[in-house]
Amino acid sequence: MPGFNFHKIFASSAYPMFKSQQKKLRFLGISSVTAGVLYCKTNYVTMARKSINLSNFMAQPITDVEILEKNSNEMRTKVELLIMKTQADFCQALKGEEIAGDFKIDRWTRSEGGGGITCVLQNGRVFEKAGVNISVVHGFLPPEAVKQMRARGKKIQDGEQVQFFAAGVSSVVHPKNPKVPTVHFNYRYFETTTDSGITEWWFGGGTDLTPYYLNEKDAVHFHGTLKKACDKHDKEYYPSYKKWCDNYFLISHRGECRGIGGIFFDDLNKPSDKKAFAFVTDCAEAVIPSYIPLVQQHKNDPYTEQERDWQLLRRGRYVEFNLIYDRGTKFGLYTPGARHESILMSLPLLAKWEYMNIPQPNTPERALVEVLKHPKDWV
């Protein structure tokens, strides 16, 4: 076996196992050397597969590690490892900015298939609430979810049962200081197989920013970082996905966007699964450099009680969008075995609604609302 070091096996914890097997083989008249070769041949593949470093994650993966190692080339495995790493990297980045508090890690499973890992930090000095979740679930789509899929053009016949696999990472960060914006990102992979044998796959997701006070330099930095990630793959991605983001995160009954956007896309199934995965990977890796510098720059900025009240009012708008319009929230709540605590993690710890609160002209609050009503290009 080229490249295999027998000395390492003899020096490792596997040696006692080897000696035990060697005795059995010698009893059958097989030499020690032959016994060593046979042992290594039968165990080399298993040993070589143990390459997943669990210390890089917030918890044990949802899928059994041996299955992940065995199916390392499958897209499902690649996506699960990507979202596990994205979750851990972002949690560590947030912890690096927090003065007090840590993440509560909650690994859960669902009887219908799969599970997730919910990481939530609450009542910190920098982050009032920050959640970074992953889910890896599979089973059969309920009727409401099938209805959503058909409405989006998926090839599902009326009355068909649909098996699905879905894996994704989702995060929302609500800082305490109103000068620090809220950030949201979500990247996901989906597979469906119908009774008639039609299998479809696609990626979706995006990253967007919701400031309480408009800082144009922050907006340029945020959008510029996302554009750089998109441009590595297709120059048309950023302008297309930026517009899609503005349209998607529209609070229709208010006539304003939830924030100043970013990128958003769905149903991405080209040019190939490998290239789509590479694009999503770069987008996920762009989250930290797009957002953490904004936290570092503003987390210690002074603010007034009036500015805090405005932040809570804007959070009310955030709640309105997530509960009324967000497709991911609806899909999660429709899915059998839904874990409501994790799905509603995106809601802020504190929010506020006031009757007819209209910002006065020539104020920072009014300047923000004007941009939310009339999205602009930042880069």
Side-chain angles (χ1 to χ4, degrees):
M1 287 173 289
F4 193 84
N5 190 334
F6 286 92
H7 297 289
K8 282 187 177 180
I9 249 214
F10 298 150
S12 72
S13 59
Y15 182 61
M17 296 173 61
F18 163 72
K19 292 294 291 183
S20 174
Q21 294 296 323
Q22 185 188 51
K23 287 180 181 178
K24 293 179 182 178
L25 293 167
R26 286 181 66 186
F27 179 76
L28 296 174
I30 300 173
S31 70
S32 297
V33 173
T34 304
V37 172
L38 287 172
Y39 178 83
C40 292
K41 280 186 175 180
T42 56
N43 289 277
Y44 171 64
V45 174
T46 300
M47 295 179 65
R49 281 202 302 254
K50 293 183 178 180
S51 57
I52 297 176
N53 186 352
L54 299 181
S55 66
N56 290 335
F57 304 144
M58 299 300 287
Q60 186 85 5
I62 300 305
T63 303
D64 187 270
V65 174
E66 289 188 4
I67 295 176
L68 292 175
E69 291 168 343
K70 181 180 178 181
N71 302 319
S72 60
N73 291 324
E74 291 189 6
M75 186 53 66
R76 292 186 179 192
T77 298
K78 292 179 179 180
V79 170
E80 183 166 353
L81 294 180
L82 170 64
I83 64 176
M84 292 285 295
K85 183 177 185 301
T86 301
Q87 179 187 51
D89 288 349
F90 196 51
C91 284
Q92 293 301 321
L94 294 175
K95 284 172 63 175
E97 303 304 320
E98 181 54 75
I99 302 170
D102 202 350
F103 282 94
K104 177 181 179 179
I105 302 171
D106 185 11
R107 186 182 185 278
W108 51 273
T109 57
R110 60 193 286 273
S111 59
E112 295 82 1
I117 302 166
T118 299
C119 298
V120 177
L121 185 157
Q122 293 185 144
N123 288 312
R125 292 187 186 177
V126 175
F127 304 112
E128 194 160 274
K129 185 179 182 185
V132 192
N133 296 350
I134 69 109
S135 62
V136 181
V137 296
H138 53 85
F140 287 91
L141 288 177
E144 284 295 335
V146 171
K147 185 178 178 180
Q148 281 194 49
M149 296 293 179
R150 291 184 66 191
R152 289 164 51 202
K154 301 304 177 186
K155 300 174 183 177
I156 302 172
Q157 300 299 319
D158 190 22
E160 275 193 309
Q161 277 198 315
V162 182
Q163 294 186 56
F164 80 97
F165 170 87
V169 58
S170 180
S171 177
V172 177
V173 178
H174 294 292
K176 182 164 287 187
N177 192 319
K179 302 299 179 62
V180 181
T182 279
V183 74
H184 157 260
F185 73 87
N186 168 266
Y187 292 100
R188 58 193 178 272
Y189 174 73
F190 219 98
E191 283 184 12
T192 60
T193 303
T194 65
D195 286 342
S196 54
I198 296 176
T199 297
E200 294 183 88
W201 62 266
W202 64 92
F203 288 90
T207 307
D208 62 279
L209 198 69
T210 302
Y212 307 102
Y213 286 91
L214 184 63
N215 183 306
E216 296 206 0
K217 288 184 179 179
D218 290 352
V220 170
H221 168 81
F222 182 80
H223 278 267
T225 306
L226 299 184
K227 182 178 184 299
K228 183 178 179 182
C230 291
D231 286 352
K232 288 174 61 177
H233 299 270
D234 191 321
K235 297 289 186 181
E236 295 301 317
Y237 277 173
Y238 173 77
S240 175
Y241 296 160
K242 192 270 184 188
K243 184 177 180 181
W244 198 341
C245 186
D246 291 336
N247 291 335
Y248 179 79
F249 291 104
L250 176 66
I251 308 173
S252 299
H253 62 276
R254 298 282 187 182
E256 62 188 38
C257 295
R258 189 179 73 178
I260 62 167
I263 58 171
F264 177 84
F265 59 91
D266 210 349
D267 301 314
L268 180 65
N269 58 4
K270 58 183 181 180
S272 68
D273 58 349
K274 290 182 179 179
K275 290 185 178 181
F277 175 74
F279 168 62
V280 169
T281 298
D282 282 336
C283 288
E285 291 179 350
V287 171
I288 291 175
S290 72
Y291 181 65
I292 294 300
L294 309 186
V295 177
Q296 293 170 340
Q297 185 172 352
H298 299 296
K299 67 181 181 180
N300 295 318
D301 287 359
Y303 61 90
T304 65
E305 185 176 345
Q306 177 187 344
E307 289 170 332
R308 172 67 170 166
D309 281 344
W310 175 249
Q311 178 194 45
L312 297 181
L313 286 168
R314 294 311 310 174
R315 284 185 181 168
R317 300 288 202 271
Y318 205 96
V319 172
E320 290 175 20
F321 176 85
N322 281 28
L323 294 184
I324 297 173
Y325 300 108
D326 187 63
R327 199 165 64 208
T329 301
K330 290 180 179 180
F331 175 83
L333 294 176
Y334 289 150
T335 303
R339 197 164 191 278
H340 306 108
E341 289 292 335
S342 297
I343 295 167
L344 299 177
M345 169 277 301
S346 64
L347 302 183
L349 199 61
L350 299 171
K352 190 174 182 178
W353 286 264
E354 286 184 1
Y355 183 72
M356 297 294 287
N357 183 293
I358 301 174
Q360 295 298 311
N362 302 315
T363 62
E365 292 80 9
R366 185 64 169 266
L368 175 69
V369 172
E370 288 301 317
V371 169
L372 299 182
K373 289 183 175 292
H374 308 285
K376 61 180 291 186
D377 293 331
W378 298 102
V379 293

